Amino acid sequence: MANWLGGYRVIANHTRTTSGTSAQTSAFNANIEYVRVTTTGPVFIEFGANPTAVAATSIYMAGDESIIFKVDGGMKMATIHASGTPTVFVQELSE
């Protein structure tokens, strides 16, 4: 199992500029278990097969924050901004 002391390999990158409408990434690779999400400003995110991010009820990320999430392969991530037009970077990770 991966931990902060071990390293992750970046398998794929997704970059998106958020808007006031929920938008999805493409599907993550089938064998991916972790993604690192980094944002330049406040956003709401949601994971799933066909996710819709909703301001105030989805997962909130503050600006200049990076979090690793456990996901299932094939999932997508949706984003919507809290304010401004932040950029969200998603890295698919492997151990």
Side-chain angles (χ1 to χ4, degrees), residues 70-88:
K70 178 126 171 84
V71 297
D72 294 327
M75 288 179 112
K76 299 175 184 176
M77 186 187 82
T79 62
I80 190 169
H81 68 61
S83 64
T85 53
T87 301
V88 178

Side-chain angles (χ1 to χ4, degrees), residues 8-13 29 31-32 34 91-95:
Y8 289 102
R9 206 171 352 171
V10 177
I11 302 301
N13 290 297
N29 290 307
N31 60 343
I32 290 301
Y34 301 96
Q91 296 173 317
E92 297 181 32
L93 305 173
S94 175
E95 295 180 15

